[in-house]
Amino acid sequence: MKRLTLPAVILSLALPAHAAQPFTGKNYSGVYDCTGNDAREGEYTGTVTLQLNPAQSSGAYGAYDYKLVVPDYGTYPGQAVSLGKTLAIHFALADSRSKDYGTGIATVTRNKKGKLTFRKFYYEPEFKGGNHGFEDCVKR
């Protein structure tokens, strides 16, 4: 077994396990107008705000603060991560009593007018016995 010297051990404890790389992916930050269709609640509209967190993004991987606001229903703060044109999203209604939280996956594209869009499929394991739905969002 190789013996480490005390200075080598101290140095290895002081250095981060993985140094962050500058973010090189596409930045999807912005405000998006959304229409959705929820299997339990039906059609709805909302606004999604995505904000890149550069300190937590690395190389091609983006880290975002996520917020969905559905008028007359509530606010769903969460997080999203990106790789290429794919977003993985976790969200939860601020009022946790309804168990209205879930995970989504979205694909980012451009529409015919050149605006960024994404289509999200989501799954909510505990909301009203289980639920899913789709959202289509267009950047303002």
Side-chain angles (χ1 to χ4, degrees):
M1 182 171 162
K2 186 176 179 180
R3 296 184 84 160
L4 293 175
T5 64
L6 184 57
V9 171
I10 292 171
L11 183 60
S12 69
L13 295 174
L15 294 175
H18 176 69
Q21 301 173 19
F23 179 60
T24 59
K26 174 73 175 155
N27 185 344
Y28 298 122
S29 294
V31 178
Y32 295 77
D33 295 314
C34 304
T35 58
N37 193 338
D38 185 276
R40 299 273 184 207
E41 300 292 318
E43 294 182 0
Y44 64 94
T45 61
T47 303
V48 165
T49 303
L50 279 174
Q51 182 60 52
L52 182 71
N53 183 329
Q56 301 304 322
S57 301
S58 182
Y61 298 92
Y64 294 85
D65 295 321
Y66 172 93
K67 181 173 71 171
L68 167 63
V69 177
V70 178
D72 301 322
Y73 205 76
T75 299
Y76 296 79
Q79 313 82 39
V81 293
S82 68
L83 179 60
K85 295 180 178 182
T86 301
L87 296 169
I89 302 164
H90 174 75
F91 57 90
L93 184 64
D95 179 355
S96 63
R97 292 175 291 179
S98 66
K99 297 186 179 184
D100 191 353
Y101 63 87
T103 303
I105 188 164
T107 302
V108 180
T109 60
R110 289 199 180 268
N111 65 15
K112 292 178 182 179
K113 296 180 181 179
K115 291 188 175 191
L116 283 177
T117 68
F118 66 83
R119 180 167 177 82
K120 177 176 87 176
F121 172 75
Y122 61 88
Y123 166 58
E124 298 174 309
E126 292 194 65
F127 182 67
K128 296 186 176 183
N131 191 34
H132 69 279
F134 290 92
E135 282 175 9
D136 292 294
C137 302
V138 179
K139 190 172 180 183
R140 290 184 180 168

